[in-house]
Amino acid sequence: MSLADYLAKNYLTADSKAEKKSKKRKRKEASDGLIIADDDSLGWDPNGASKDEDDGPLTVSTNSASFRKSKSNNWRTLTGAPVSTTTPSDADTADAIIASAAAESAALALEDEDAPAISNPPIPITKMESGAHAGLQSASQVTAQLRRAQDAERQRFLMDSDSHSGRGKETIYRDASGRIINVGMKRAEARKAAEEAAAKEAAELEAQKGDVQLAAREARKAELAEAKFLPVARYADDADLNDELKERQRWDDPAAAFLKKKEGGKSVSGKPLYTGAAMPNRYGIRPGYRWDGVDRGNGFEREYFKAGNRKRNLKELDYAWQMDE
């Protein structure tokens, strides 16, 4: 016997129907009869709705005459203790809430006595990529947050190993196609090219010098080499110094005619010297041994010496006039 049949047999009383009723009355009674929704029954639900076992209501028709005329309470409790129909007061409700809260606290304490009590759980902080917190903040707060993020990143970099961070390693260079460039080889090639350019420049500068300059430089080197063995002070009785001074030729030397002239020898470059008279020049260069004696210059050297002689003459006259006064 199902639950619906049990309830209908023991607690409900159906109306006695008349023998003859109209079709309208029959249609009305068919629609207002007893409706019991049995949740335990399996099969197709004609209304197209399925209800839970606990929430499914029992619909009982209120058109029963005896049920409506009865003055006593015909509802009976099937199982459990009798239910009180009185409304609980506010004090009872408050006592029940306090008791349930105390029971929950005791249960939590029994579960973990050593666990710290968290009254207000922390709110998760949203950080941006720069390290600053999201939301409305002051300029000093944002600056402090950025400084902390930078310090943390610097500490991570310092704590990182050299093999991972690449500290102390040589930079790898690549060309346009992606191939690795050998920096050592490129540096050696650049150094070699620089040395070759310097040697070429020195050779060009050397080629611009004449034979006399080259011979003078070699003579200067020889003098410096001999100076290692010379005394610190050289006096008038130094034979080498006297011979050197005697060999010098001066074009304006008045006693040059009384001196014994040296026979024509060779120049520094190894070529014969010109033995005739020639107009002097400011560089002291003698004409070549093949010169025919014709001055083909523009006369600048002659004017240069005239100007120098005039200047020295005026200087001497000025000094003489001052002494006469």
Side-chain angles (χ1 to χ4, degrees):
M1 180 182 295
S2 64
L3 179 61
D5 295 339
Y6 179 80
L7 292 175
K9 179 180 179 181
N10 295 303
Y11 299 102
L12 299 178
T13 303
D15 293 339
S16 59
K17 295 182 181 180
E19 295 180 356
K20 294 182 180 180
K21 291 183 180 180
S22 62
K23 294 181 179 180
K24 186 175 182 181
R25 180 68 178 174
K26 290 180 180 180
R27 191 180 300 110
K28 185 176 180 182
E29 288 178 356
S31 61
D32 295 338
L34 177 63
I35 301 174
I36 299 174
D38 189 3
D39 293 339
D40 295 336
S41 61
L42 299 175
W44 177 258
D45 187 3
N47 296 329
S50 61
K51 300 180 180 294
D52 295 337
E53 183 177 357
D54 297 336
D55 297 337
L58 293 176
T59 306
V60 181
S61 175
T62 58
N63 293 330
S64 176
S66 60
F67 185 80
R68 184 172 60 253
K69 292 178 181 179
S70 179
K71 295 182 179 180
S72 62
N73 189 4
N74 293 328
W75 294 97
R76 295 180 183 179
T77 304
L78 296 179
T79 58
V83 180
S84 177
T85 57
T86 60
T87 305
S89 62
D90 295 339
D92 297 337
T93 305
D95 294 339
I97 293 173
I98 292 172
S100 63
E104 291 180 0
S105 300
L108 293 174
L110 291 175
E111 289 179 359
D112 191 1
E113 296 180 355
D114 298 333
I118 301 176
S119 58
N120 295 324
I123 301 174
I125 299 175
T126 304
K127 289 187 177 182
M128 296 183 290
E129 186 177 359
S130 60
H133 296 175
L136 182 61
Q137 301 177 66
S138 62
S140 59
Q141 293 176 345
V142 174
T143 304
Q145 294 165 5
L146 293 177
R147 187 179 295 107
R148 285 196 297 270
Q150 292 175 358
D151 294 341
E153 184 177 1
R154 188 180 297 105
Q155 290 296 330
R156 287 196 302 270
F157 179 77
L158 294 176
M159 294 296 293
D160 199 357
S161 61
D162 295 344
S163 60
H164 183 266
S165 62
R167 188 187 301 112
K169 293 186 177 180
E170 189 176 1
T171 305
I172 298 176
Y173 298 94
R174 298 180 183 271
D175 56 5
S177 62
R179 293 177 298 181
I180 297 177
I181 300 174
N182 192 344
V183 181
M185 184 175 64
K186 291 294 183 180
R187 289 176 179 172
E189 292 178 356
R191 191 182 304 109
K192 183 178 179 181
E195 291 177 357
E196 290 179 355
K200 185 178 180 180
E201 183 178 359
E204 292 179 355
L205 184 62
E206 194 74 16
Q208 294 176 1
K209 297 181 179 179
D211 296 337
V212 178
Q213 286 81 5
L214 296 177
R217 186 178 63 181
E218 295 296 332
R220 179 61 179 170
K221 289 182 180 179
E223 290 179 0
L224 293 177
E226 293 178 358
K228 298 179 181 179
F229 309 101
L230 295 177
V232 179
R234 303 182 69 179
Y235 299 98
D237 57 351
D238 192 344
D240 296 334
L241 180 60
N242 292 330
D243 293 341
E244 180 182 355
L245 295 177
K246 289 178 180 180
E247 289 178 357
R248 291 182 184 178
Q249 296 182 1
R250 300 170 180 82
W251 68 273
D252 57 348
D253 187 4
F258 304 102
L259 296 177
K260 183 179 180 181
K261 294 182 180 181
K262 296 176 60 178
E263 297 180 357
K266 294 184 178 180
S267 63
V268 179
S269 60
K271 296 179 181 180
L273 294 176
Y274 181 77
T275 57
M279 188 69 183
N281 52 65
R282 20 176 198 170
Y283 301 107
I285 300 175
R286 300 174 62 180
Y289 68 98
R290 295 180 180 179
W291 182 52
D292 56 358
V294 179
D295 187 3
R296 294 177 176 84
N298 56 3
F300 177 79
E301 298 293 336
R302 186 183 298 107
E303 298 296 330
Y304 174 81
F305 284 107
K306 285 183 179 180
N309 294 333
R310 187 183 306 110
K311 185 176 180 180
R312 285 192 295 272
N313 189 19
L314 293 176
K315 185 176 180 181
E316 293 176 357
L317 290 176
D318 187 14
Y319 178 75
W321 291 341
Q322 290 178 4
M323 293 300 294
D324 290 343
E325 294 178 356

Coordinates of all heavy atoms in Angstrom, one line a residue, residues 115-182:
A115 N 45.6 26.3 16.2 CA 45.5 27.2 15.0 C 45.1 28.6 15.4 O 44.3 28.8 16.3 CB 44.4 26.7 14.1
P116 N 45.8 29.6 14.8 CA 45.5 31.0 15.2 C 44.1 31.4 14.7 O 43.7 31.0 13.6 CB 46.6 31.8 14.5 CG 47.0 30.9 13.3 CD 46.9 29.5 13.8
A117 N 43.5 32.2 15.5 CA 42.2 32.7 15.1 C 42.3 33.9 14.1 O 43.0 34.8 14.4 CB 41.4 33.1 16.3
I118 N 41.7 33.8 13.0 CA 41.7 34.9 12.0 C 40.4 35.6 12.0 O 39.4 35.0 11.6 CB 42.0 34.3 10.6 CG1 43.4 33.6 10.6 CG2 42.0 35.4 9.6 CD1 43.7 32.9 9.3
S119 N 40.4 36.8 12.6 CA 39.2 37.6 12.6 C 38.8 38.2 11.3 O 37.7 38.1 10.8 CB 39.3 38.6 13.7 OG 40.4 39.5 13.4
N120 N 39.8 38.8 10.7 CA 39.6 39.5 9.4 C 40.6 38.9 8.4 O 41.8 39.3 8.5 CB 39.8 41.0 9.5 CG 38.7 41.6 10.4 OD1 37.6 41.2 10.4 ND2 39.1 42.6 11.2
P121 N 40.2 38.1 7.5 CA 41.2 37.5 6.5 C 41.8 38.6 5.6 O 41.1 39.6 5.3 CB 40.3 36.5 5.7 CG 38.9 37.0 5.9 CD 38.8 37.6 7.2
P122 N 43.1 38.5 5.3 CA 43.7 39.6 4.5 C 43.1 39.6 3.1 O 42.8 38.6 2.4 CB 45.2 39.2 4.4 CG 45.1 37.7 4.7 CD 44.0 37.4 5.6
I123 N 43.0 40.8 2.6 CA 42.5 41.1 1.2 C 43.6 40.9 0.2 O 44.7 41.5 0.4 CB 41.8 42.5 1.1 CG1 40.7 42.6 2.1 CG2 41.3 42.7 -0.3 CD1 40.1 44.0 2.2
P124 N 43.5 40.1 -0.8 CA 44.6 40.0 -1.8 C 44.9 41.3 -2.5 O 44.0 42.0 -2.8 CB 44.1 38.9 -2.8 CG 42.6 39.0 -2.6 CD 42.3 39.3 -1.2
I125 N 46.2 41.6 -2.6 CA 46.7 42.8 -3.2 C 47.0 42.6 -4.6 O 47.7 41.6 -5.0 CB 48.0 43.4 -2.4 CG1 47.6 43.6 -1.0 CG2 48.5 44.6 -3.1 CD1 48.8 44.0 -0.1
T126 N 46.5 43.4 -5.5 CA 46.8 43.3 -6.9 C 47.9 44.3 -7.3 O 47.9 45.5 -7.0 CB 45.5 43.8 -7.7 OG1 44.4 42.9 -7.3 CG2 45.8 43.6 -9.2
K127 N 49.0 43.7 -7.8 CA 50.1 44.4 -8.2 C 50.2 44.5 -9.7 O 49.9 43.6 -10.4 CB 51.4 43.8 -7.7 CG 51.6 43.9 -6.2 CD 52.9 43.3 -5.8 CE 53.2 43.5 -4.3 NZ 54.5 43.0 -3.8
M128 N 50.7 45.7 -10.2 CA 50.9 45.9 -11.6 C 52.3 45.4 -12.0 O 53.1 44.9 -11.2 CB 50.8 47.4 -11.9 CG 49.4 47.9 -11.7 SD 49.2 49.6 -12.2 CE 50.2 50.4 -11.0
E129 N 52.6 45.4 -13.3 CA 53.9 44.9 -13.8 C 55.1 45.7 -13.3 O 56.1 45.2 -13.1 CB 53.9 45.0 -15.3 CG 55.1 44.3 -16.0 CD 55.0 44.3 -17.5 OE1 54.0 44.8 -18.0 OE2 55.9 43.8 -18.1
S130 N 54.9 47.0 -13.0 CA 56.0 47.8 -12.5 C 56.3 47.6 -11.0 O 57.3 48.0 -10.5 CB 55.6 49.3 -12.7 OG 54.5 49.6 -12.0
G131 N 55.4 46.8 -10.3 CA 55.6 46.6 -8.9 C 54.8 47.4 -8.0 O 54.7 47.1 -6.8
A132 N 54.1 48.4 -8.5 CA 53.2 49.3 -7.7 C 51.9 48.6 -7.6 O 51.4 47.8 -8.4 CB 53.1 50.6 -8.4
H133 N 51.2 48.9 -6.5 CA 49.9 48.4 -6.2 C 48.8 49.1 -7.1 O 48.9 50.3 -7.4 CB 49.5 48.5 -4.7 CG 50.4 47.8 -3.8 ND1 50.4 47.8 -2.5 CD2 51.4 46.9 -4.1 CE1 51.3 47.0 -1.9 NE2 51.9 46.5 -2.9
A134 N 47.8 48.4 -7.4 CA 46.7 49.0 -8.2 C 45.8 49.7 -7.3 O 45.6 49.4 -6.1 CB 46.0 47.9 -9.0
G135 N 45.1 50.7 -7.8 CA 44.2 51.5 -7.0 C 44.7 52.9 -6.8 O 45.7 53.3 -7.2
L136 N 43.8 53.7 -6.1 CA 44.1 55.1 -5.8 C 45.2 55.1 -4.7 O 45.0 54.6 -3.6 CB 42.9 55.8 -5.4 CG 43.0 57.3 -5.1 CD1 43.5 58.0 -6.3 CD2 41.7 57.9 -4.6
Q137 N 46.3 55.8 -4.9 CA 47.4 55.9 -4.0 C 48.1 57.3 -4.1 O 47.9 57.9 -5.2 CB 48.4 54.8 -4.2 CG 47.9 53.4 -4.0 CD 49.0 52.4 -4.3 OE1 49.9 52.2 -3.6 NE2 48.8 51.6 -5.4
S138 N 48.9 57.6 -3.1 CA 49.6 58.9 -3.2 C 50.9 58.7 -3.9 O 51.4 57.6 -4.2 CB 49.9 59.4 -1.8 OG 50.7 58.5 -1.1
A139 N 51.6 59.8 -4.3 CA 52.8 59.7 -5.0 C 53.9 59.1 -4.2 O 54.8 58.3 -4.7 CB 53.2 61.1 -5.5
S140 N 53.9 59.4 -2.9 CA 55.0 58.8 -2.0 C 54.8 57.3 -1.9 O 55.8 56.6 -1.9 CB 54.9 59.4 -0.6 OG 53.6 59.2 0.0
Q141 N 53.6 56.8 -1.8 CA 53.4 55.4 -1.7 C 53.9 54.7 -3.0 O 54.5 53.6 -3.0 CB 51.9 55.1 -1.5 CG 51.4 55.5 -0.1 CD 49.9 55.3 0.1 OE1 49.2 55.0 -0.9 NE2 49.5 55.4 1.3
V142 N 53.5 55.2 -4.2 CA 53.9 54.6 -5.4 C 55.4 54.6 -5.6 O 56.1 53.6 -6.0 CB 53.3 55.4 -6.6 CG1 53.8 54.9 -7.9 CG2 51.8 55.2 -6.6
T143 N 56.1 55.7 -5.1 CA 57.6 55.8 -5.2 C 58.2 54.8 -4.3 O 59.2 54.1 -4.7 CB 58.0 57.2 -4.8 OG1 57.4 58.2 -5.6 CG2 59.5 57.4 -4.9
A144 N 57.7 54.6 -3.1 CA 58.2 53.6 -2.2 C 58.0 52.2 -2.7 O 58.9 51.3 -2.6 CB 57.6 53.7 -0.8
Q145 N 56.9 51.9 -3.3 CA 56.6 50.6 -3.9 C 57.6 50.3 -5.1 O 58.1 49.2 -5.2 CB 55.2 50.5 -4.3 CG 54.2 50.5 -3.2 CD 52.8 50.7 -3.6 OE1 52.5 50.8 -4.8 NE2 51.9 50.9 -2.7
L146 N 57.8 51.3 -5.9 CA 58.7 51.1 -7.1 C 60.1 50.9 -6.6 O 60.9 50.1 -7.1 CB 58.6 52.3 -8.0 CG 57.3 52.5 -8.8 CD1 57.4 53.8 -9.6 CD2 57.0 51.3 -9.6
R147 N 60.5 51.6 -5.5 CA 61.9 51.5 -5.0 C 62.1 50.1 -4.4 O 63.1 49.4 -4.6 CB 62.2 52.5 -3.9 CG 63.6 52.5 -3.5 CD 63.9 53.6 -2.4 NE 63.7 54.9 -3.0 CZ 62.7 55.7 -2.7 NH1 61.7 55.3 -1.9 NH2 62.6 56.9 -3.3
R148 N 61.1 49.6 -3.7 CA 61.1 48.2 -3.1 C 61.2 47.2 -4.3 O 62.0 46.2 -4.2 CB 59.9 47.9 -2.3 CG 60.0 48.6 -0.9 CD 59.0 48.0 0.1 NE 57.6 48.2 -0.4 CZ 56.9 49.2 -0.1 NH1 57.3 50.2 0.7 NH2 55.6 49.3 -0.6
A149 N 60.5 47.4 -5.3 CA 60.5 46.4 -6.5 C 61.9 46.4 -7.1 O 62.5 45.4 -7.5 CB 59.4 46.7 -7.5
Q150 N 62.5 47.6 -7.3 CA 63.8 47.7 -7.9 C 64.9 47.1 -7.0 O 65.8 46.4 -7.5 CB 64.2 49.2 -8.1 CG 63.3 49.8 -9.2 CD 63.6 51.3 -9.4 OE1 64.4 51.9 -8.6 NE2 62.9 52.0 -10.3
D151 N 64.8 47.3 -5.6 CA 65.8 46.7 -4.7 C 65.6 45.1 -4.8 O 66.7 44.4 -4.7 CB 65.5 47.2 -3.3 CG 65.8 48.7 -3.2 OD1 66.5 49.2 -4.0 OD2 65.3 49.3 -2.2
A152 N 64.4 44.6 -4.8 CA 64.2 43.2 -4.9 C 64.8 42.6 -6.2 O 65.5 41.6 -6.2 CB 62.8 42.8 -4.8
E153 N 64.6 43.3 -7.3 CA 65.2 42.9 -8.6 C 66.7 42.9 -8.5 O 67.4 42.0 -9.1 CB 64.6 43.7 -9.7 CG 65.1 43.2 -11.1 CD 64.4 44.1 -12.2 OE1 63.7 45.0 -11.9 OE2 64.7 43.8 -13.4
R154 N 67.3 43.9 -7.9 CA 68.7 44.0 -7.8 C 69.3 42.9 -7.0 O 70.3 42.3 -7.3 CB 69.1 45.4 -7.3 CG 70.6 45.6 -7.3 CD 71.0 47.0 -6.7 NE 70.4 48.1 -7.5 CZ 69.3 48.8 -7.1 NH1 68.7 48.5 -6.0 NH2 68.9 49.8 -7.9
Q155 N 68.6 42.6 -5.9 CA 69.1 41.5 -5.0 C 69.0 40.1 -5.7 O 69.9 39.3 -5.6 CB 68.2 41.4 -3.7 CG 68.4 42.6 -2.8 CD 69.9 42.6 -2.2 OE1 70.5 41.6 -2.1 NE2 70.4 43.8 -2.0
R156 N 67.9 40.0 -6.5 CA 67.8 38.7 -7.3 C 69.0 38.6 -8.3 O 69.5 37.5 -8.6 CB 66.5 38.6 -8.0 CG 65.3 38.3 -7.1 CD 64.1 37.9 -7.9 NE 63.7 38.9 -8.8 CZ 62.9 39.9 -8.6 NH1 62.3 40.0 -7.4 NH2 62.5 40.8 -9.6
F157 N 69.3 39.7 -8.9 CA 70.4 39.7 -9.9 C 71.7 39.4 -9.3 O 72.6 38.7 -9.8 CB 70.4 41.1 -10.6 CG 71.5 41.2 -11.7 CD1 71.4 40.6 -12.9 CD2 72.7 41.9 -11.4 CE1 72.4 40.7 -13.8 CE2 73.7 42.0 -12.3 CZ 73.6 41.4 -13.5
L158 N 72.0 40.0 -8.1 CA 73.2 39.8 -7.4 C 73.3 38.3 -6.9 O 74.4 37.8 -6.8 CB 73.4 40.8 -6.2 CG 73.5 42.2 -6.6 CD1 73.6 43.1 -5.4 CD2 74.7 42.5 -7.5
M159 N 72.2 37.8 -6.5 CA 72.2 36.4 -6.0 C 72.3 35.4 -7.1 O 72.6 34.2 -6.9 CB 71.0 36.1 -5.1 CG 70.9 37.0 -3.8 SD 72.3 36.5 -2.7 CE 71.8 34.8 -2.3
D160 N 72.0 35.8 -8.3 CA 72.0 34.9 -9.4 C 73.4 34.5 -9.8 O 74.4 35.3 -9.6 CB 71.3 35.5 -10.7 CG 70.9 34.5 -11.7 OD1 71.2 33.3 -11.4 OD2 70.3 34.8 -12.7
S161 N 73.6 33.3 -10.3 CA 75.0 32.8 -10.7 C 75.4 33.5 -12.0 O 74.6 33.9 -12.8 CB 74.9 31.3 -10.8 OG 74.0 30.9 -11.9
D162 N 76.8 33.5 -12.1 CA 77.4 34.1 -13.3 C 77.0 33.3 -14.6 O 76.9 33.9 -15.7 CB 78.9 34.2 -13.2 CG 79.3 35.1 -12.0 OD1 78.4 35.9 -11.6 OD2 80.4 35.1 -11.6
S163 N 76.9 32.0 -14.5 CA 76.6 31.2 -15.7 C 75.2 31.5 -16.2 O 74.9 31.5 -17.4 CB 76.7 29.7 -15.3 OG 75.8 29.4 -14.3
H164 N 74.3 31.8 -15.3 CA 72.9 32.1 -15.7 C 72.7 33.6 -16.1 O 72.0 33.9 -17.1 CB 71.9 31.8 -14.6 CG 70.5 31.9 -14.9 ND1 69.8 33.1 -14.7 CD2 69.6 31.1 -15.6 CE1 68.6 33.0 -15.1 NE2 68.4 31.8 -15.7
S165 N 73.3 34.5 -15.3 CA 73.1 35.9 -15.6 C 74.0 36.4 -16.8 O 73.8 37.4 -17.3 CB 73.4 36.7 -14.4 OG 74.8 36.5 -13.9
G166 N 75.2 35.6 -17.1 CA 76.1 36.1 -18.1 C 77.1 37.1 -17.7 O 77.7 37.8 -18.5
R167 N 77.2 37.3 -16.4 CA 78.1 38.3 -15.8 C 79.6 37.9 -16.1 O 80.0 36.8 -15.8 CB 77.9 38.5 -14.4 CG 78.7 39.7 -13.8 CD 78.6 39.7 -12.3 NE 77.2 39.9 -11.8 CZ 76.5 38.9 -11.2 NH1 77.1 37.8 -10.9 NH2 75.3 39.1 -10.8
G168 N 80.4 38.8 -16.7 CA 81.8 38.5 -16.9 C 82.0 37.8 -18.3 O 83.2 37.6 -18.6
K169 N 81.0 37.5 -19.0 CA 81.2 36.9 -20.3 C 81.4 37.9 -21.4 O 80.9 39.0 -21.3 CB 80.1 35.9 -20.6 CG 80.0 34.7 -19.7 CD 78.9 33.7 -20.1 CE 78.9 32.5 -19.3 NZ 77.9 31.5 -19.7
E170 N 82.0 37.5 -22.5 CA 82.2 38.4 -23.6 C 81.0 38.5 -24.4 O 80.2 37.5 -24.6 CB 83.4 37.9 -24.5 CG 83.8 38.9 -25.5 CD 85.1 38.4 -26.3 OE1 85.5 37.3 -26.0 OE2 85.5 39.1 -27.2
T171 N 80.7 39.7 -25.0 CA 79.5 39.9 -25.8 C 79.6 39.1 -27.1 O 80.7 39.1 -27.7 CB 79.4 41.4 -26.0 OG1 79.3 42.1 -24.8 CG2 78.0 41.6 -26.8
I172 N 78.6 38.5 -27.5 CA 78.5 37.8 -28.8 C 77.9 38.7 -29.8 O 76.8 39.2 -29.7 CB 77.7 36.5 -28.6 CG1 78.3 35.6 -27.6 CG2 77.5 35.8 -30.0 CD1 77.5 34.3 -27.3
Y173 N 78.7 38.9 -30.9 CA 78.2 39.7 -32.0 C 77.9 38.8 -33.2 O 78.5 37.8 -33.4 CB 79.3 40.7 -32.4 CG 79.7 41.7 -31.3 CD1 80.8 41.4 -30.4 CD2 79.0 42.9 -31.1 CE1 81.1 42.3 -29.4 CE2 79.4 43.8 -30.1 CZ 80.4 43.4 -29.3 OH 80.8 44.3 -28.3
R174 N 76.9 39.3 -33.9 CA 76.4 38.5 -35.1 C 76.3 39.5 -36.3 O 76.0 40.7 -36.1 CB 75.1 37.8 -34.8 CG 75.1 36.8 -33.7 CD 73.8 36.2 -33.5 NE 73.8 35.2 -32.3 CZ 74.1 34.0 -32.5 NH1 74.4 33.5 -33.7 NH2 74.1 33.2 -31.4
D175 N 76.4 38.9 -37.5 CA 76.3 39.7 -38.7 C 74.8 39.7 -39.1 O 73.9 39.3 -38.4 CB 77.2 39.2 -39.8 CG 76.9 37.7 -40.1 OD1 76.0 37.2 -39.4 OD2 77.6 37.1 -40.9
A176 N 74.6 40.3 -40.3 CA 73.2 40.4 -40.7 C 72.5 39.0 -41.0 O 71.3 38.9 -40.8 CB 73.1 41.2 -42.0
S177 N 73.3 38.0 -41.3 CA 72.7 36.7 -41.6 C 72.6 35.9 -40.3 O 72.1 34.8 -40.3 CB 73.6 36.0 -42.6 OG 74.9 35.8 -42.0
G178 N 73.1 36.4 -39.1 CA 72.9 35.7 -37.9 C 74.1 34.9 -37.5 O 74.1 34.2 -36.4
R179 N 75.2 34.8 -38.3 CA 76.3 34.1 -37.9 C 77.2 34.8 -36.9 O 77.3 36.0 -36.9 CB 77.2 33.8 -39.2 CG 76.5 32.9 -40.2 CD 77.4 32.7 -41.4 NE 77.5 34.0 -42.1 CZ 78.2 34.2 -43.2 NH1 78.8 33.1 -43.8 NH2 78.3 35.3 -43.8
I180 N 77.8 34.0 -36.0 CA 78.6 34.6 -34.9 C 79.9 35.2 -35.5 O 80.6 34.5 -36.2 CB 78.9 33.6 -33.8 CG1 77.6 33.1 -33.2 CG2 79.8 34.1 -32.7 CD1 77.8 32.0 -32.2
I181 N 80.2 36.4 -35.0 CA 81.4 37.0 -35.5 C 82.5 36.8 -34.4 O 82.3 37.0 -33.2 CB 81.2 38.6 -35.6 CG1 80.1 38.8 -36.7 CG2 82.5 39.3 -36.0 CD1 79.8 40.3 -36.8
N182 N 83.7 36.3 -34.9 CA 84.8 36.1 -34.1 C 85.5 37.4 -33.7 O 86.2 38.0 -34.5 CB 85.8 35.1 -34.7 CG 86.9 34.6 -33.8 OD1 87.1 35.2 -32.7 ND2 87.6 33.6 -34.1

